[in-house]
Amino acid sequence: MNPASLLTHNTLVVAIAVGAVGMAAGMVGALAVLRRRALAGDAAAHGTLAGVALAFLATGRRDLPWLLLGGLATALATLAALVLIRRWTRTRDDAATALVLGVSFGAGVALVTGITARGLPDSAGLEQFLLGHTAAVTARDALLLTACAAAAIALLVLGLKEVTLVAFDDAFAAAAGWPVALIDLLLVGLVAVMVVVGLPAAGAVLVTALLVIPPVAARQWTDRVPALVALAGAIGAGAALVGVVVSGLVSGLSTGPVVVLACAAACGVSVVAAPERGWLARRRRARAVHAAWEEGRILTRLEAGRPDAVAGGDAAILRQMILAGLVEPGVGGFRLTAAGRARAVERTRRLAAWESILAVAPDDARAFLTIDLPDPATVIDAARRAEIGRAAGLGMTP
């Protein structure tokens, strides 16, 4: 397809609508993941296909509003069946989810393939709800999708505090008088709505990716729920737009797989490059801890008068210590410089402080003491250090 065709009014309207759906799905999915409701969304997603087929059989038209309404009905029915199976049988959660998911999706595939095989009027393209296909979305459909996405975002923002509380501590929320069951029901209902609205973008098979992968990617970058929700929405919108553009440029390519691949790429970058939880950051911290431990080992042994203490150690750390002016060649090996001796004395002070904390408050030591021997003043607050000092009779300064 000519790239200039992507600049038509209808295509831009559809792109905006699908981007809004991706944003809303990412934001709703963030709280669903925190509340551990992602698998419920997957079951609802696979149940939508049967509703789409039934809505077509009932109306005889491939009209998106009616098809989505049918998908929403069967998605909610799927979730209800999941709840009933969990409550009235001894089936485990994962087995119940697999059971409902498989049966509902099998019914949907059977209905869709039966409709297309019979060649019913206006049934062409119905199977595209499996993997998503935005080319068939009209401007009117795009307006509907945008409105649904905006409503979902508004509801989420209004109930963000309550849903966050239930997601992190439902027992406390119940004790505080919050209707936990109702909040849970509304969240799952919102997930079902976003699953249905996301069908044109990702299809019944892959729409759950819009709910799950963006929050997983966003979680690598932040610890704050509002920032997590906003970032997940941005990632979802970006992935949905990539899916629209690429499927528009490549003839015959379904939108859903591209959306999933875009989400996966964002998640991969986040897992590797996030500043706190990313693999590179964790690798740097591990190397820093190892360097601090090796440096401390060398300082302690040289301070004890063992010039050969660096034998078998990390040669790179030793070179860094020499360049930093902490260690210099001496008789029979190496020795501490004045700066190295001062650092060794400081390390001995920290070690003595941790030994006193370990004797008086072992829980604090286990919580904060690490192999790189940090200064207690940097990890334990002043009031707690004063309490430990009084208990140990050491007069530990805050």
Side-chain angles (χ1 to χ4, degrees), residues 66 154 191 277 291 342:
W66 287 106
V191 168
R277 291 186 174 82

Side-chain angles (χ1 to χ4, degrees), residues 41-50 78 101-102 104-106 108 195 204-208:
D42 196 25
H46 284 75
T48 57
L49 193 60
T78 300
L101 187 152
S104 60
F105 188 59
V195 161
V205 177
L206 301 173
V207 68
T208 312

Side-chain angles (χ1 to χ4, degrees), residues 324-337:
L326 302 176
V327 176
E328 62 185 5
V331 179
F334 293 87
R335 64 184 180 187
L336 294 175
T337 63

Side-chain angles (χ1 to χ4, degrees), residues 191-228:
V191 168
V193 169
M194 290 317 306
V195 161
V196 172
V197 175
L199 287 178
V205 177
L206 301 173
V207 68
T208 312
L210 273 177
L211 290 163
V212 176
I213 302 180
V216 173
R219 185 66 181 89
Q220 310 303 314
W221 298 89
T222 181
D223 289 324
R224 299 178 62 249
V225 173
L228 170 67

Side-chain angles (χ1 to χ4, degrees), residues 37-217:
R37 295 293 184 264
L39 282 180
D42 196 25
H46 284 75
T48 57
L49 193 60
V52 169
L54 291 173
F56 174 80
L57 290 174
T59 61
R61 295 183 301 168
R62 195 158 57 87
D63 194 13
L64 186 62
W66 287 106
L67 297 182
L68 295 186
L69 189 60
L72 178 61
T74 52
L76 294 175
T78 300
L79 292 174
L82 182 60
V83 171
L84 292 176
I85 291 174
R86 289 175 176 174
R87 181 170 298 179
W88 289 353
T89 70
R90 301 182 64 182
T91 308
R92 293 170 49 127
D93 286 354
D94 55 348
T97 303
L99 174 64
V100 171
L101 187 152
V103 172
S104 60
F105 188 59
V109 171
L111 286 170
V112 169
T113 54
I115 291 171
T116 55
R118 292 177 59 188
L120 296 179
D122 206 24
S123 63
L126 201 61
E127 71 283 353
Q128 291 171 346
F129 279 93
L130 276 169
L131 298 176
H133 190 64
T134 56
V137 176
T138 66
R140 184 172 68 91
D141 297 336
L143 182 61
L144 172 65
L145 297 178
T146 304
C148 291
I153 292 174
L155 288 174
L156 185 69
V157 171
L158 289 175
L160 182 61
K161 180 181 68 175
E162 292 78 8
V163 177
T164 301
L165 177 61
V166 172
F168 281 99
D169 195 342
D170 55 354
F172 175 78
W178 291 102
V180 174
L182 178 59
I183 293 173
D184 239 350
L185 182 62
L186 293 175
L187 176 60
V188 172
L190 202 55
V191 168
V193 169
M194 290 317 306
V195 161
V196 172
V197 175
L199 287 178
V205 177
L206 301 173
V207 68
T208 312
L210 273 177
L211 290 163
V212 176
I213 302 180
V216 173

